[in-house]
């Protein structure tokens, strides 16, 4: 079989290379986009179809022990949604937290070829990597949870910033992560010991380490900047979900100054109102700040009605919400590194708060002036499944459909928002940005999210349909690394040779002498068994060279 493919007559959307709906050809060879191919190349006639890069999900929860715990909480969900084995795919189970096989295949059936796991404690990185290998088709990577790491916080508290930077680089190498993740920085440890304690202000000292969240955020922003990572600190801000939390979000963004910061699922941090009272929308205040600060990127965390699963390192938040399903909730401690909360959930359109959350997410999308920096996510499965992406796209592209959807939900909530005033409709090019080109740019992935020469040959071809939910729900063709996976809506092959995306910044090896005594005193695992060796990745990992930022090379 030829390893060359030529797509002809397609309507190409490639925002990175300023191509918007232009009829043209795309050529692929040896897993890359090339200028031309031989006459023996397989030809796909995409006349009248939209040709886009493979989708990139910047923020989801799909691998690791917390995901397995969530799967165990919902056996009935899996029984209702089996994924049967076919000649070209493995079996699995679906639901709000699909199995590894179902996850990979269902991302592919939406046209997605890359997905980033958003929160992995260092202790569980080995497990997460194993599940990444087990998840077919999609390239993936993960953000390592370091914001509540007690050792790192102690270095910040003592002002040992040079050692702090070296330790961050060591942890990134030890876990094979892509960047650092901060979740409710300074909040987990005081809560673990005293369940009524949690930091409520980013200038309030943590009861555990005597440093305020702002100092933690600043330290990580500085370290990641100096290390030259392709993606900035990925932050789940303090006070997530609480009325009035937009002030905390803006203060967190101000902490970055002119340096880069990515705010995760920003919808959950965009609420006005008073603590303890129903929230109001602060979408305009949030988008005004993001629109005027080019160093800030974010994903929306769009809430969608139906089943969801809270899955977060913000353990105090899950404990607060535990009454929603008393028979099914988990809160766990990951030693000196993180907390973990899991809670099945249902978003219902007639509930004021749920309807407001849905509206705020859409407002943020529609008020955004730069779709390259406010990109699509549902914080899968926290705001709903990634399977809802086609419906989100239809809501953004079709004002009349959006207006009808507003009539079917809590009207008190709708009357308190400006959603009905926002008549903007996203174009196909803008959808290509928020689902592909934008996330890839935010992540610093030079070879993804576009169709230029040298890019990864990850390509999706959609029928041009009036119903945009139907269009994006079933691509006619999906190509991964130059291999045709889906043809005429059916899997024709499987792809298991996907890559793990990670960074490998330089660090002073003497930092191990500083870190090891802490392990000896407090960890249940020995220091020598903690790190993940390069050999463990079986040569499959993809390293981003942080000192030559334009180069990506395989092990």
């Amino acid at each position: 079989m030829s390893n060359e493919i030529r797509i002809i007559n397609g309507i190409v959307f490639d925002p990175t290379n300023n191509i918007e709906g232009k009829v043209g050809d795309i050529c692929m060879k040896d897993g890359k986009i090339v200028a031309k191919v031989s006459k023996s190349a397989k030809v796909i006639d995409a006349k009248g179809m939209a040709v886009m890069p493979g989708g990139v999900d910047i923020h989801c929860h799909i691998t690791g022990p917390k995901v397995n715990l969530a799967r165990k909480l919902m056996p009935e969900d899996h029984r209702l949604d089996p994924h049967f084995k076919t000649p070209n795919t493995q079996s699995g189970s679906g639901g709000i937290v699909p199995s590894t096989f179902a996850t990979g295949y269902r991302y592919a059936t939406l046209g997605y070829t890359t997905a980033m796991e958003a929160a992995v404690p260092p202790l569980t990185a080995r497990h997460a990597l194993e599940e990444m290998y087990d998840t077919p088709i999609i390239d993936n990577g993960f953000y390592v949870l370091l914001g509540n790491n007690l050792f790192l916080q102690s270095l910040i508290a003592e002002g040992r910033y040079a050692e702090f930077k070296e330790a961050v680089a060591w942890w990134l190498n030890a876990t094979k992560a892509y960047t650092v993740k901060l979740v409710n920085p300074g909040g987990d440890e005081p809560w673990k010991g005293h369940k009524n304690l949690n930091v409520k202000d980013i200038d309030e000292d943590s009861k555990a380490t005597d440093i305020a969240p702002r100092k933690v955020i600043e330290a990580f922003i500085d370290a990641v900047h100096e290390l030259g990572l392709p993606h900035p600190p990925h932050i789940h801000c303090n006070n997530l979900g609480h009325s009035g939390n937009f002030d905390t979000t803006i203060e967190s963004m101000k902490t970055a100054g002119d340096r880069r910061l990515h705010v995760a699922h920003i919808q959950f941090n965009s609420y006005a109102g008073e603590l303890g009272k129903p929230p109001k929308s602060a979408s305009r205040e949030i988008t005004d700040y993001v629109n005027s600060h080019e160093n800030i990127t974010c994903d929306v965390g769009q809430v969608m009605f139906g089943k969801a699963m809270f899955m977060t390192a913000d353990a105090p938040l899950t404990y607060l919400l535990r009454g929603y399903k008393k028979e099914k909730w988990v809160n766990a401690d990951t030693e000196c590194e993180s907390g973990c909360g899991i809670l099945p959930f249902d978003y219902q359109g007639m509930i004021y708060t749920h309807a407001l959350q849905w509206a705020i997410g859409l407002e943020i999308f529609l008020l955004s002036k730069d779709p390259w920096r406010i990109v699509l996510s549902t914080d899968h499965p926290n705001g709903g499944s990634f399977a809802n992406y086609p419906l989100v796209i239809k809501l953004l592209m079709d004002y009349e459909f959006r207006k009808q959807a507003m009539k079917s939900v809590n009207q008190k909530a709708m009357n308190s928002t400006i959603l009905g005033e926002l008549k903007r409709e996203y174009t196909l090019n803008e959808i290509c940005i928020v689902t592909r080109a934008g996330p890839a740019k935010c992540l610093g992935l030079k070879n993804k999210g576009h169709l230029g020469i040298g890019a990864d040959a990850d390509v999706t071809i959609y029928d041009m349909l009036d119903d945009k939910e139907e269009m994006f729900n079933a691509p006619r063709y999906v190509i991964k690394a130059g291999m045709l996976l889906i043809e005429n809506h059916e899997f024709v092959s499987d792809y298991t040779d996907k890559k793990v995306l990670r960074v490998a910044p330089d660090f002073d090896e003497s930092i191990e002498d500083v870190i090891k005594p802490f392990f000896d005193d407090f960890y249940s695992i020995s220091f020598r068994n903690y790190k993940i060796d390069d050999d463990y990745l079986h040569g499959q990992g993809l390293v981003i060279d942080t000192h030559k930022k334009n180069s990506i090379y395989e092990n």
Side-chain angles (χ1 to χ4, degrees):
M1 178 182 288
S2 172
N3 66 350
E4 298 178 294
I5 297 177
R6 183 184 178 195
I7 301 170
I8 63 172
N9 301 323
I11 304 170
V12 179
F13 292 88
D14 183 10
T16 300
N17 295 298
N18 297 313
I19 298 173
E20 180 178 355
K22 180 180 178 181
V23 175
D25 297 355
I26 302 293
C27 296
M28 288 160 272
K29 181 178 180 180
D30 298 331
K32 296 290 184 180
I33 305 293
V34 296
K36 60 182 180 179
V37 290
S38 68
K39 293 182 180 179
S40 64
K42 177 181 177 63
V43 175
I44 297 174
D45 189 345
K47 184 176 181 180
M49 303 178 195
V51 180
M52 296 183 178
V56 178
D57 195 341
I58 197 172
H59 185 108
C60 59
H61 300 277
I62 55 175
T63 62
K66 72 178 187 302
V67 179
N68 266 353
L69 280 172
R71 290 174 182 135
K72 292 175 182 178
L73 283 183
M74 298 292 285
E76 69 281 5
D77 204 31
H78 301 302
R79 286 195 294 268
L80 292 170
D81 190 10
H83 180 94
F84 297 105
K85 185 175 182 178
T86 74
N88 296 304
T89 63
Q90 298 294 318
S91 62
S93 57
I96 192 62
V97 189
S99 65
T100 53
F101 289 123
T103 295
Y105 298 135
R106 292 186 178 185
Y107 262 114
T109 56
L110 297 180
Y112 275 74
T113 54
T114 303
M116 302 299 285
E117 161 60 53
V120 174
L123 267 171
T124 68
R126 196 179 304 267
H127 183 144
L129 286 166
E130 290 288 359
E131 289 205 338
M132 287 178 183
Y133 284 123
D134 207 41
T135 303
I137 299 172
I138 54 174
D139 289 341
N140 45 32
F142 69 86
Y143 315 140
V144 63
L145 286 160
L146 295 181
N148 282 305
N149 183 297
L150 281 179
F151 177 77
L152 291 172
Q153 287 194 5
S154 71
L155 293 180
I156 298 170
E158 295 168 16
R160 298 159 65 183
Y161 292 107
E163 290 176 316
F164 172 81
K165 185 192 78 171
E166 298 300 324
V168 169
W170 179 87
W171 249 286
L172 288 164
N173 278 275
T175 59
K176 311 307 181 200
Y178 192 76
T179 196
V180 301
K181 176 70 177 292
L182 314 180
V183 173
N184 186 24
D188 266 12
E189 284 304 320
W191 178 84
K192 288 178 185 179
H194 308 277
K195 292 185 176 61
N196 61 340
L197 289 180
N198 188 8
V199 290
K200 296 180 175 61
D201 185 277
I202 68 168
D203 293 309
E204 173 190 350
D205 284 354
S206 163
K207 307 300 186 297
T209 54
D210 296 324
I211 55 172
R214 192 188 297 272
K215 289 194 71 175
V216 177
I217 299 167
E218 286 176 339
F220 277 103
I221 290 171
D222 290 346
V224 168
H225 176 79
E226 292 175 25
L227 292 171
L229 302 189
H231 185 57
H234 199 96
I235 184 171
H236 161 135
C237 295
N238 301 86
N239 289 328
L240 182 138
H242 294 292
S243 297
N245 66 8
F246 82 95
D247 283 330
T248 301
T249 308
I250 290 176
E251 283 302 312
S252 298
M253 292 189 289
K254 286 180 178 178
T255 300
D258 60 358
R259 297 187 177 186
R260 297 180 306 145
L261 182 67
H262 183 92
V263 182
H265 40 67
I266 199 167
Q267 178 276 137
F268 289 106
N269 290 91
S270 300
Y271 306 153
E274 297 180 29
L275 188 64
K277 295 183 179 180
K280 300 177 181 178
S281 174
S283 59
R284 192 178 294 280
E285 291 88 340
I286 290 293
T287 52
D288 281 350
Y289 189 91
V290 177
N291 284 336
S292 61
H293 291 80
E294 294 184 358
N295 60 308
I296 302 296
T297 59
C298 59
D299 57 272
V300 172
Q302 177 65 44
V303 158
M304 298 299 287
F305 302 124
K307 289 183 179 179
M309 177 75 73
F310 288 165
M311 191 185 302
T312 177
D314 194 340
L317 176 66
T318 306
Y319 185 76
L320 181 68
L321 296 171
R322 71 194 184 284
Y324 182 81
K325 280 201 173 182
K326 292 182 179 180
E327 75 281 7
K328 285 189 177 185
W329 63 282
V330 172
N331 257 31
D333 172 26
T334 310
E335 297 196 15
C336 305
E337 298 181 340
S338 178
C340 176
I342 302 168
L343 176 74
F345 202 78
D346 292 279
Y347 290 102
Q348 301 175 38
M350 296 313 296
I351 293 178
Y352 172 88
T353 301
H354 300 180
L356 186 74
Q357 291 174 308
W358 174 82
I360 290 173
L362 294 173
E363 288 176 343
I364 291 170
F365 274 119
L366 298 168
L367 290 169
S368 167
K369 293 182 179 179
D370 185 358
W372 290 89
R373 294 189 293 109
I374 298 183
V375 300
L376 177 64
S377 77
T378 58
D379 186 17
H380 166 85
N382 286 281
S385 170
F386 62 80
N388 286 307
Y389 288 171
L391 179 54
V392 178
I393 290 170
K394 183 173 182 176
L395 287 165
L396 295 176
M397 295 191 70
D398 189 333
Y399 169 69
E400 289 300 324
F401 176 75
R402 191 163 67 236
K403 188 167 67 172
Q404 290 302 311
M406 290 179 63
K407 292 180 180 178
S408 67
V409 302
N410 186 289
Q411 291 305 291
K412 182 179 179 181
M414 293 304 99
N415 292 336
S416 70
T417 74
I418 59 170
L419 182 59
E421 304 169 18
L422 303 176
K423 298 184 179 181
R424 175 184 177 183
E425 294 181 324
Y426 267 54
T427 65
L428 276 174
N429 200 58
E430 288 174 320
I431 293 299
C432 191
I433 293 172
V434 298
T435 60
R436 292 156 163 78
K441 184 177 180 181
C442 292
L443 289 164
L445 293 173
K446 304 292 185 180
N447 293 335
K448 294 189 180 294
H450 71 97
L451 300 173
I453 304 302
D456 291 348
D458 297 351
V459 185
T460 306
I461 303 174
Y462 298 98
D463 293 309
M464 290 284 268
L465 303 177
D466 291 336
D467 187 326
K468 300 310 178 191
E469 181 183 9
E470 183 181 355
M471 173 179 170
F472 283 94
N473 202 39
R476 183 172 288 275
Y477 298 91
V478 176
I479 300 166
K480 178 74 186 78
M483 177 184 289
L484 183 61
L485 296 180
I486 294 176
E487 183 174 20
N488 291 322
H489 307 299
E490 298 290 341
F491 277 97
V492 294
S493 62
D494 200 356
Y495 181 80
T496 58
D497 191 26
K498 69 274 180 302
K499 298 178 176 66
V500 173
L501 305 169
R502 62 186 183 96
V503 296
D506 293 336
F507 65 93
D508 185 344
E509 292 186 3
S510 67
I511 193 63
E512 293 189 351
D513 296 330
V514 180
I515 298 171
K516 185 177 182 298
F518 187 83
F519 271 77
D520 294 340
D521 288 342
F522 298 107
Y523 271 82
S524 64
I525 187 171
S526 69
F527 184 72
R528 68 178 182 178
N529 290 332
Y530 184 83
K531 292 188 298 182
I532 300 170
D533 294 332
D534 287 347
D535 291 343
Y536 186 79
L537 295 182
H538 315 298
Q540 297 292 317
L542 193 72
V543 176
I544 311 299
D545 184 344
T546 59
H547 299 285
K548 296 178 181 177
K549 297 176 187 175
N550 292 323
S551 71
I552 299 177
Y553 61 92
E554 292 186 36
N555 286 344

